Amino acid sequence: MSPPLHISISEKLRHQIEAGVYASGDRLPSEHQLMETFSVSRITARQAVANLVSQGLAIAYRGKGVFVTPQKKVTYSLSSPLVFLEQDMARQGIAFSFENLVFEPIAAPRDAAVALGIDKASSVYLQKKLFRMDGAAGAVDVSYLIADLGDRFAPLLERQMTFPILAQHGIPIDHLDAVIECTHADYDLSGYLEVPLGHALMVYRYTAYSSNQRPVLHGSTISRADRFCYSLSTRAGASD
Amino acid sequence: MSPPLHISISEKLRHQIEAGVYASGDRLPSEHQLMETFSVSRITARQAVANLVSQGLAIAYRGKGVFVTPQKKVTYSLSSPLVFLEQDMARQGIAFSFENLVFEPIAAPRDAAVALGIDKASSVYLQKKLFRMDGAAGAVDVSYLIADLGDRFAPLLERQMTFPILAQHGIPIDHLDAVIECTHADYDLSGYLEVPLGHALMVYRYTAYSSNQRPVLHGSTISRADRFCYSLSTRAGASD
DNA sequence: TAAGCTCACTTGTTATGACAAGTTGATCGC
DNA sequence: GCGATCAACTTGTCATAACAAGTGAGCTTA
């Protein structure tokens, strides 16, 4: 009938957060304080905190305390015509930068080969980038670029975003096919994106086609759910 | 340097799941078996299992055991022209049904009033529906319908989906503005959607406009991330 | 003053123990 | 044969205990 103790405690804290008792970035009571306030053991107090963390409402730092998750969300417009991520961030007053993690030619994995319409053994360029918004890690992008374009723009690709490079050299992206889904952070991603294990992440899986209908780039952008969302309109010619 | 014990164990199990040692729906070793296999306490074994659950890879049932999460994903196309959810499910061979949880006129909350372009005190119809896919809970939809349409189609709205009703009576939806984001299940939602606390959920927040550019429906579809994804194409006139 | 150290406080990891509660199959009694 | 009961196994909840490890303030010392 009545929920377990740790749920009662975390629900109470959740309501207090939503009511503004604890504001964004505020420090929550320590485990020891929760133990005394609710007369429970540390196990139960920890479980209550873990519930909040798993709901994305709080984040714990060893040695410092537990803090209400700051919610600063960036919107990326998916409506055509294609808007460049950097420009979209700039319009919202976000300082955007990226760190190149990997850039190297490899044999195409199965899914990339299928999406790009090439043989499985063919060469493609694997790109891994870490996107930063206002300095904080916001997304990881893993993509596969067809070999001829990778060869041609190799030095540029490590310093600039792919779509703008292509556009500036007369190879604009004509359209994208995309799937948006949602997943949980595994151990590696939780390290890159500075989120707890299991944190919700958005996955934007795309295949980009050049104007002659040839697929040129296939990849996934995996972003922090608390920092990123996608907007779209089915209105013809919507620009926002 | 080396990760804690519970991470090592859950990562090992994760690799085994991904390698197919444990297939979708298979039962994982019990906590007691993990304790013996890895020579750890129950706390550590439980933490390892909790890691898998928080990553959406497994689900635990009291009295039964821990099982690999069955992954059966349904895709909903967001490309215009608007496709009805029921039809999109049917095309993928999914039995779709919904349960009407709430249908009543209320004073418009702030966000609905803004989205629908009406005064805050105005009346709107609050609808809450639970969507089922192949019998299992898949999504919760909470929406606000403008009063005159609610009055007019009141009896129908409790049994049928809103967009088809409107379309059949000469009020087709012209276009949608939408935002796709991602959140974590709170205590209530975890009950409705039969997922663990903190499980990743997709949120599709929409405002629908009739052909005279009037906003008629505003709401959110909150769906299980392991059962639902959205597809879209920026290709002009894409139908799939 | 400035560098470094210590200490108090924080969360993280792990062990042991106990009872609650849900499931399932075997066994017993009719 | 069939239903009820029980025993074994499962995960869930909660307590006590100890040590590891990161942070930060304040003190000590050069």
Side-chain angles (χ1 to χ4, degrees):
Chain A
M1 195 66 73
S2 66
L5 276 176
H6 63 87
I7 293 279
S8 313
I9 298 172
S10 61
E11 284 290 285
K12 180 157 188 174
L13 289 170
R14 183 167 72 86
H15 294 143
Q16 288 182 334
I17 291 169
E18 284 165 1
V21 177
Y22 301 104
S24 172
D26 276 7
R27 186 174 163 200
L28 292 174
S30 72
E31 293 172 359
H32 193 74
Q33 288 173 306
L34 291 179
M35 287 169 68
E36 293 194 338
T37 305
F38 296 96
S39 303
V40 294
S41 73
R42 198 180 158 207
I43 290 260
T44 305
R46 271 184 75 73
Q47 183 67 54
V49 172
N51 292 341
L52 295 176
V53 171
S54 82
Q55 289 173 77
L57 293 170
I59 176 128
Y61 299 98
R62 181 190 290 200
K64 296 172 81 173
V66 181
F67 300 83
V68 178
T69 306
Q71 294 279 357
K72 267 180 38 180
K73 231 168 205 176
V74 170
T75 302
Y76 180 48
S77 172
L78 297 177
S79 302
S80 58
L82 182 70
V83 178
F84 295 142
L85 185 57
E86 291 168 289
Q87 294 174 7
D88 220 353
M89 298 296 101
R91 205 175 50 185
Q92 294 170 66
I94 309 289
F96 177 85
S97 64
F98 76 88
E99 182 184 325
N100 194 51
L101 301 176
V102 176
F103 179 77
E104 59 183 22
I106 60 163
R110 215 187 64 84
D111 64 316
V114 169
L116 296 174
I118 58 177
D119 290 334
K120 193 179 165 189
S122 304
S123 176
V124 292
Y125 276 81
L126 165 64
Q127 303 183 97
K128 279 196 196 181
K129 296 193 180 84
L130 176 63
F131 295 166
R132 293 184 185 282
M133 284 131 45
D134 284 340
V140 170
D141 186 85
V142 178
S143 65
Y144 303 94
L145 179 66
I146 54 171
D148 55 335
L149 293 181
D151 291 337
R152 184 167 158 200
F153 299 115
L156 279 176
L157 285 163
E158 299 197 40
R159 296 194 311 274
Q160 295 172 39
M161 296 285 282
T162 308
F163 287 173
I165 292 176
L166 296 180
Q168 283 161 23
H169 291 81
I171 314 171
I173 296 303
D174 182 68
H175 67 276
L176 293 167
D177 284 341
V179 171
I180 299 177
E181 54 192 354
C182 190
T183 187
H184 299 265
D186 61 24
Y187 189 59
D188 289 337
L189 282 172
S190 71
Y192 276 125
L193 294 176
E194 300 162 12
V195 293
L197 192 67
H199 193 90
L201 301 175
M202 302 200 74
V203 181
Y204 176 63
R205 230 167 48 220
Y206 54 89
T207 305
Y209 296 81
S210 62
S211 45
N212 59 357
Q213 307 305 310
R214 179 192 179 201
V216 293
L217 183 68
H218 172 73
S220 303
T221 301
I222 303 172
S223 54
R224 288 178 56 155
D226 56 342
R227 295 238 175 112
F228 224 83
C229 65
Y230 295 98
S231 74
L232 60 114
S233 171
T234 61
R235 187 166 23 191
S239 66
D240 194 295
Chain B
M1 197 65 73
S2 66
L5 274 178
H6 63 88
I7 293 280
S8 312
I9 297 173
S10 61
E11 283 291 283
K12 181 157 188 175
L13 288 170
R14 183 167 74 86
H15 293 143
Q16 288 181 334
I17 290 169
E18 284 165 359
V21 177
Y22 301 105
S24 173
D26 277 7
R27 186 172 163 201
L28 292 175
S30 74
E31 293 173 358
H32 193 76
Q33 287 173 307
L34 290 178
M35 286 169 69
E36 294 195 337
T37 305
F38 295 98
S39 303
V40 295
S41 73
R42 199 182 156 207
I43 290 262
T44 305
R46 272 184 75 73
Q47 184 66 52
V49 172
N51 292 341
L52 296 176
V53 171
S54 82
Q55 291 174 77
L57 293 170
I59 176 127
Y61 299 98
R62 183 192 288 201
K64 296 173 80 172
V66 181
F67 301 84
V68 178
T69 305
Q71 295 278 357
K72 264 180 44 180
K73 231 168 205 175
V74 169
T75 302
Y76 179 48
S77 173
L78 297 177
S79 303
S80 58
L82 182 70
V83 178
F84 295 142
L85 186 58
E86 291 167 290
Q87 294 175 8
D88 220 352
M89 299 294 102
R91 204 175 51 184
Q92 294 171 67
I94 309 289
F96 177 84
S97 64
F98 77 87
E99 183 183 326
N100 195 48
L101 301 176
V102 176
F103 179 77
E104 60 186 22
I106 62 163
R110 215 186 66 84
D111 64 315
V114 170
L116 295 174
I118 58 177
D119 289 333
K120 194 179 167 190
S122 304
S123 176
V124 293
Y125 275 82
L126 167 64
Q127 302 184 99
K128 278 195 196 182
K129 296 194 180 80
L130 177 62
F131 296 165
R132 293 183 186 281
M133 285 132 45
D134 284 342
V140 170
D141 186 85
V142 178
S143 65
Y144 303 95
L145 179 65
I146 54 171
D148 57 333
L149 294 180
D151 291 336
R152 183 167 161 200
F153 300 115
L156 278 175
L157 286 163
E158 299 198 38
R159 295 194 311 274
Q160 296 173 36
M161 296 286 280
T162 307
F163 288 172
I165 292 176
L166 296 179
Q168 283 162 24
H169 291 81
I171 314 170
I173 296 303
D174 181 70
H175 68 277
L176 292 168
D177 284 340
V179 171
I180 299 178
E181 53 191 353
C182 189
T183 187
H184 297 84
D186 61 24
Y187 189 60
D188 290 337
L189 281 172
S190 71
Y192 275 126
L193 294 176
E194 300 162 10
V195 293
L197 192 67
H199 194 92
L201 301 176
M202 302 199 74
V203 181
Y204 176 64
R205 229 166 51 219
Y206 55 90
T207 305
Y209 297 81
S210 62
S211 44
N212 59 358
Q213 307 305 311
R214 179 192 179 202
V216 293
L217 184 69
H218 172 74
S220 303
T221 301
I222 303 171
S223 53
R224 287 179 55 156
D226 57 340
R227 296 239 174 112
F228 224 83
C229 64
Y230 294 97
S231 75
L232 62 115
S233 172
T234 61
R235 187 166 24 190
S239 66
D240 192 297

